[in-house]
Amino acid sequence: MRPSVVGRLHAQGLDAPRFDTAVDVVRHLGCVQSQLHDMGLWAVARRTYGLTKADLDAAFARGDFLRTHVLRPTWHFVDPSDLHWLLAVTAPRISKILMSGLNTIGLSRDQLGRGAEVIVDALADGVARTRAELGEALAGAGLAHAGQHLAHTVMHAEIEALIVNGPMRGKQHTYVLLDSVVTPPPAQPRDELLALIARRYARGHGPVRDKDLAWWTSLTLTESRRAIELGELRPIDIGGETYWSPDAPVESAPPVATLLSNFDEYISYARDTEDYTLFSGAPEAMMRSMGLLLVGGRLAGTWTRTIKSKTVDIVVDSSPRVTPPIRRALEAEAAAFGQFVERQPELQILG
């Protein structure tokens, strides 16, 4: 096992829970990837002292943490006080990446800008609206309003720091004006923000490489290296490769087995072949799964969950042989997830 694996587990709060609230987790990690909303909530709860999904749903409804496109770009939970400065760092590069693909869907920069104006007008009355309702507003203005056109227009408005997800309406996400929930802070010099994002990422993700930071933020490798230099991170040699950390990594025993969400921040880095040595399937299969299994801190399988009225079925597919210690650890993990969804866990282990 690479020494960096153990340091990363502690930095991410996965060797043992140590956070009291959801926003404590989100702030510590910088952002929490959240394409699947409920599994993103599990990624947060897994690092706390037993918060349930109901607890996190209530925190999200209060606006304790927000959900928007801020990195790469994909969905992330973010601390409201961090969102503006994070976007100030990442948005220029993300916008450039997105603009490069607009021609393939027949959407121009001017249409994006006009669409963002229509969306802002539609939300100006303070009423949270769903994506479909924003599409109706675009249609009323004679603009493209479905499929990728709608998705890119809404994403553009998010990256421009105009809108953000609001409270859930049943199972649907809504949108509100960002300035209605967060007051924009004073502008900061870019070098200060680069230093800040390097320190925040390294603090919450353990020893990291320059390419890890570049992948997480969408910065160029050159700017990622500058951010590391400005952040005054300390170099650490691991297996002949340079990693960076704000402090000496804390070494702790990795958990025997861990059930993570499929896009957990633990695997949100520039991955290497060695990271999959315990997994017998293709790496792509892991990324398409609902959840990831770690054994001793290493990617080792997948898992699914089916929530019923009183129980939750948890099926774990493990590549390594399931020894008695691994089985006991999986039973404890299933119990923790059962507590999260407030259901009796029914565990099945394959492999």
Side-chain angles (χ1 to χ4, degrees):
M1 178 187 297
R2 279 201 219 118
S4 62
V5 169
V6 180
R8 187 184 296 136
L9 282 164
H10 177 79
Q12 294 224 0
L14 288 173
D15 54 348
R18 66 174 189 271
F19 297 101
D20 293 317
T21 69
V23 73
D24 288 341
V25 176
V26 174
R27 184 185 300 118
H28 176 77
L29 293 175
C31 288
V32 174
Q33 200 165 332
S34 58
Q35 287 96 316
L36 293 178
H37 183 71
D38 64 332
M39 293 304 285
L41 295 178
W42 168 241
V44 174
R46 179 63 180 71
R47 293 164 165 86
T48 70
Y49 296 106
L51 291 181
T52 66
K53 182 176 181 295
D55 295 328
L56 270 67
D57 284 339
F60 184 73
R62 289 193 304 267
D64 292 359
F65 58 99
L66 304 174
R67 181 175 181 264
T68 192
H69 286 87
V70 61
L71 299 173
R72 289 192 294 283
T74 192
W75 291 110
H76 282 83
F77 295 139
V78 60
D79 179 352
S81 64
D82 287 335
L83 181 51
H84 279 94
W85 75 259
L86 281 169
L87 282 171
V89 176
T90 64
R93 176 73 174 165
I94 291 173
S95 294
K96 184 176 181 180
I97 293 170
L98 290 177
M99 292 297 176
S100 66
L102 288 182
N103 289 337
T104 62
I105 62 172
L107 193 60
S108 70
R109 185 184 297 268
D110 288 344
Q111 287 172 316
L112 271 187
R114 174 59 183 145
E117 293 175 357
V118 170
I119 287 173
V120 168
D121 288 344
L123 297 173
D125 60 3
V127 177
R129 289 184 165 81
T130 64
R131 178 179 289 198
E133 290 168 341
L134 296 182
E136 292 172 2
L138 293 171
L143 296 172
H145 58 277
Q148 288 297 307
H149 294 88
L150 175 59
H152 276 265
T153 303
V154 173
M155 192 186 307
H156 172 73
E158 292 174 88
I159 293 166
E160 290 296 307
L162 298 173
I163 66 173
V164 68
N165 272 164
M168 299 292 291
R169 188 193 298 171
K171 294 184 177 181
Q172 295 188 73
H173 283 280
T174 66
Y175 294 84
V176 297
L177 294 178
L178 177 56
D179 287 355
S180 71
V181 293
V182 184
T183 301
Q188 295 176 256
R190 185 166 179 81
D191 277 0
E192 290 183 12
L193 297 180
L194 286 173
L196 180 57
I197 203 168
R199 289 195 297 268
R200 182 70 66 86
Y201 178 65
R203 183 193 70 181
H205 291 73
V208 299
R209 297 163 295 185
D210 48 10
K211 66 180 180 179
D212 299 331
L213 177 61
W215 183 86
W216 195 70
T217 59
S218 296
L219 295 174
T220 65
L221 193 56
T222 297
E223 200 162 29
S224 172
R225 289 168 177 163
R226 176 167 175 76
I228 288 170
E229 179 182 359
L230 292 168
E232 299 181 341
L233 301 181
R234 58 187 293 174
I236 302 170
D237 182 84
I238 299 175
E241 190 171 12
T242 302
Y243 287 69
W244 302 88
S245 177
D247 303 295
V250 175
E251 300 296 318
S252 59
V256 175
T258 313
L259 297 181
L260 299 182
S261 70
N262 55 340
F263 294 110
D264 193 275
E265 285 297 305
Y266 182 72
I267 55 89
S268 182
Y269 59 95
R271 291 171 287 277
D272 296 321
T273 303
E274 185 180 343
D275 297 315
Y276 298 98
T277 53
L278 294 183
F279 182 57
S280 60
E284 295 78 12
M286 296 195 98
M287 298 304 102
R288 292 194 299 267
S289 68
M290 182 179 297
L292 300 177
L293 165 66
L294 300 185
V295 171
R298 302 293 294 276
L299 292 164
T302 61
W303 65 284
T304 61
R305 53 93 178 101
T306 303
I307 298 175
K308 300 178 179 178
S309 60
K310 296 183 180 180
T311 63
V312 54
D313 292 341
I314 297 172
V315 180
V316 177
D317 191 352
S318 174
S319 292
R321 184 176 66 87
V322 177
T323 62
I326 292 175
R327 179 174 293 276
R328 289 192 294 271
L330 288 174
E331 289 170 351
E333 287 290 295
F337 189 80
Q339 178 184 348
F340 169 65
V341 295
E342 299 179 273
R343 301 290 194 278
Q344 178 64 37
E346 301 288 345
L347 176 64
Q348 179 183 4
I349 301 175
L350 308 177

